[in-house]
Amino acid sequence: MLQEVPGADETHGIFPKSLHKTLCALGSAALSGLNGVCRSVLADGRPFVRLDETDLLETSRRRTGLDDFHDDLFREPLRILLDSFERDADLNLVGRVCVRSEITRMLCNRLYMVADCGRNPEIHEEKIQRPLFITGLPRSGSTFLHTLLAQDPRCRTPRIWEVMQPSPPPERRTYDSDPRIGRTERQLKWLDILMPEFEKFHLIHARYPQECIAITDHAFLSYVFETMYQVSSYRDWHDQQDKRPAYEFHRRFLQQLQWRCPGSHWVLKAPSHLMALEALLAVYPDADIVVTHRDPLKVLPSCASLTRVLRAPFTNRLRGEEIGGEVSNRWEGSTRYAMRFREEHHDLRQRFYDVQYPDLKEDPLAVVRGIYDYFGREFGPDAEKAMQRFSAANPKDGHGVHRYTLEEFGLDRDAERGRFRFYTDFFGIAPEA
C-alpha cells in the first residue's frame, strides 16, 4: 500500500487548497497582486513565512512523524542556503512560501527514505551499473536527448513524479498507475500560473524524465538553487565545495527508485555535471558521459531568458544585465573546468561522447545510434520505434517560440564570441545563423 504524504492533498505542494483554487481561477495576475500587497504592507512576508533551519527541521519531523535524517552532512549546506535566501535573494511573499514548501518537501523526503531503508536494508545493496549521463551547455538539446533516450523501454530514468515523491520506493506493477503521478500533475499546474512562458523552454510532464539537480537538491548541494533564485553567497560557497556528498546522496536516491523497479541502465542528465566531473566519476566510476555542444551565442541569451522566467515569480529584484553576466561567467567557467578535466585525464577519454546540436536537430536517431555504438550498448528495434514516435510528436518549438537577444541581457556579441573561442575552436562548433 502506498503511504500518503501528510498534507499533500491539502497543500497542493505550495498553498492551501482553498487559496490554490482561487489563484488558479485568477491566474498570474493574482500572484502579482499578492506580491504587491506584500511589498507595501507585510514587509515581504518575513514575519509571516519563516525560513529558519530549526523550524523547518521540526516541521518536517512533525509532518512525517520521523526524526532520523541518516546523517548531518546536509545541515551546513542548508544553513548557508537559508542565510543566502535572507541576505541575497530579495524574496517576495510567493518566493518565501515556495522556498519554505520546497525545503520542507526535501526534508520530508529524506526522512521517508531513511525509514524505507531501515525497513528494507537491501535497498542499500542495489548496484547502479554503467549509468549514462548527459551533460553540456544548457539549451544545447540535452533535455530533448534525455527524453528521447528515455523512450528505450529497457532503460530507467528518474521521472518527475518519483523524484518529487520518492517514498515509498516505486514498484513495477503499479509504476504507470501510481497515485503520485496524478498528485504531481496537479502540482505542475502551478507552472502555468507562476511561469506561463516556461513550457516554451522545457518539456515537462509528471511522467517525463527529471534532471539530476532535482535529486542533489535534497543534499542542499545543488545548482538548482542558483538557477531558481539569486543566492550569490551560497553560489560562491557551493563552487568551492567537494561535490561527492551530493553524488553519494544521488546514488542512494537511485537505489531507492531502482529497488522494486529496475532497468537495464540509468539515463541521467544535468548541465551542471560539467562542473563536477571528478565527483561524478568518483561515485560512478563506470559511468558513460554524453556531452552536448552548441554555439554559445545561442546558448547564453536562451539560458539568461530561462533564468529570468524561473526567478521572476519569486523575487522583487530582476535585472537583465545582472543575469546575463552571471550566466556568461558560470558557463565559461564550467566549460573551462570540463575541458581541463578531460585533458588531464586522457585515460578517461573513451568515457566521453560529444554531440553537436545541429546534428541532433537534423537527425536525432543517427545521434542515438552513434551513442549506443560508441558505448557498446544494444539498440533494439523497440527502442528505435519508440524514439521515432517521440521525435515525430515533439518537433522543435512545438509549444511556441520564445524570443530573446544577447543585448537585452547586456551581452556584447563580439566580446562573448571571443570569450568562448577557446571552446568553439576546440570542439569545432560553427556559429549558428
Side-chain angles (χ1 to χ4, degrees), residues 132-134 141-153 155-164 175-176 181 184-185 188 191 198 201-215 250 253-254 257 265-271 273 386-387 390 394:
L132 179 65
F133 284 87
I134 303 168
S142 58
T143 298
F144 173 77
L145 180 59
H146 187 205
T147 312
L148 183 64
L149 290 172
Q151 305 308 305
D152 186 338
C155 82
R156 189 75 166 84
T157 54
R159 307 288 173 168
I160 289 176
W161 67 267
E162 60 184 337
V163 172
M164 288 182 68
Y175 191 74
D176 293 324
I181 299 172
T184 301
E185 274 300 292
L188 290 177
L191 290 177
F198 182 74
F201 285 93
H202 200 79
L203 298 167
I204 190 163
H205 184 281
R207 299 177 192 268
Y208 275 10
Q210 180 59 294
E211 286 199 20
C212 295
I213 54 174
I215 295 176
H250 182 278
F253 207 104
L254 296 188
L257 301 187
H265 62 282
W266 282 95
V267 178
L268 306 153
K269 174 253 177 177
H273 293 314
M387 291 181 195
F390 176 82
N394 291 275

Side-chain angles (χ1 to χ4, degrees), residues 100-116:
R100 180 179 173 85
S101 175
E102 279 296 278
I103 290 180
T104 302
R105 178 184 64 83
M106 296 168 205
L107 291 170
C108 288
N109 282 345
R110 287 185 67 104
L111 289 166
Y112 282 131
M113 289 172 62
V114 172
D116 289 339

Side-chain angles (χ1 to χ4, degrees), residues 34 37-48 93:
L34 189 63
V37 170
C38 176
R39 282 192 296 272
S40 60
V41 178
L42 302 181
D44 289 343
R46 288 173 189 254
F48 300 90
L93 176 60

Side-chain angles (χ1 to χ4, degrees), residues 206-375:
R207 299 177 192 268
Y208 275 10
Q210 180 59 294
E211 286 199 20
C212 295
I213 54 174
I215 295 176
T216 55
D217 62 2
H218 290 72
F220 302 102
L221 284 167
S222 178
Y223 292 92
V224 70
F225 302 113
E226 70 172 66
T227 302
M228 300 287 294
Y229 310 98
Q230 297 164 145
V231 284
S232 53
S233 58
Y234 170 83
R235 181 184 67 233
D236 294 343
W237 174 86
H238 182 219
D239 281 346
Q240 303 304 314
Q241 303 310 301
D242 181 356
K243 307 304 188 298
R244 279 177 293 183
Y247 282 91
E248 286 163 357
F249 182 86
H250 182 278
R251 181 175 56 195
R252 292 202 300 273
F253 207 104
L254 296 188
Q255 289 173 322
Q256 169 97 358
L257 301 187
Q258 176 178 294
W259 176 48
R260 297 191 296 186
C261 192
S264 60
H265 62 282
W266 282 95
V267 178
L268 306 153
K269 174 253 177 177
S272 61
H273 293 314
L274 272 186
M275 312 169 205
L277 293 174
E278 183 175 3
L280 186 159
L281 287 165
V283 174
Y284 297 108
D286 61 347
D288 294 328
I289 302 173
V290 176
V291 185
T292 56
H293 301 282
R294 190 180 184 186
D295 180 1
L297 266 62
K298 289 293 186 179
V299 166
L300 295 177
S302 179
C303 186
S305 187
L306 174 57
T307 301
R308 182 171 58 188
V309 167
L310 291 173
R311 291 181 181 178
F314 307 127
T315 183
N316 296 314
R317 186 184 82 250
L318 204 63
R319 301 187 181 98
E321 289 190 6
E322 184 177 327
I323 293 173
E326 185 181 320
V327 164
S328 182
N329 289 336
R330 165 57 73 208
W331 295 109
E332 182 203 1
S334 300
T335 51
R336 285 192 184 278
Y337 164 80
M339 288 175 60
R340 183 169 62 251
F341 179 87
R342 292 176 65 173
E343 289 172 353
E344 292 174 353
H345 294 82
H346 290 292
D347 56 314
L348 298 175
R349 62 185 181 277
Q350 296 302 317
R351 313 299 292 282
F352 292 89
Y353 183 80
D354 296 294
V355 170
Q356 298 283 350
Y357 177 80
D359 296 336
L360 180 62
K361 183 178 177 182
E362 181 178 348
D363 194 341
L365 268 294
V367 169
V368 170
R369 292 187 196 98
I371 292 170
Y372 275 73
D373 288 345
Y374 184 81
F375 292 124

Side-chain angles (χ1 to χ4, degrees), residues 18-61:
S18 57
L19 182 55
H20 174 271
K21 289 183 176 180
T22 301
L23 292 175
C24 280
L26 295 177
S28 58
L31 291 178
S32 298
L34 189 63
N35 282 326
V37 170
C38 176
R39 282 192 296 272
S40 60
V41 178
L42 302 181
D44 289 343
R46 288 173 189 254
F48 300 90
V49 184
R50 297 176 63 193
L51 299 180
D52 174 76
E53 178 191 3
T54 301
D55 179 59
L56 288 163
L57 293 172
E58 285 304 313
T59 297
S60 63
R61 291 187 181 109

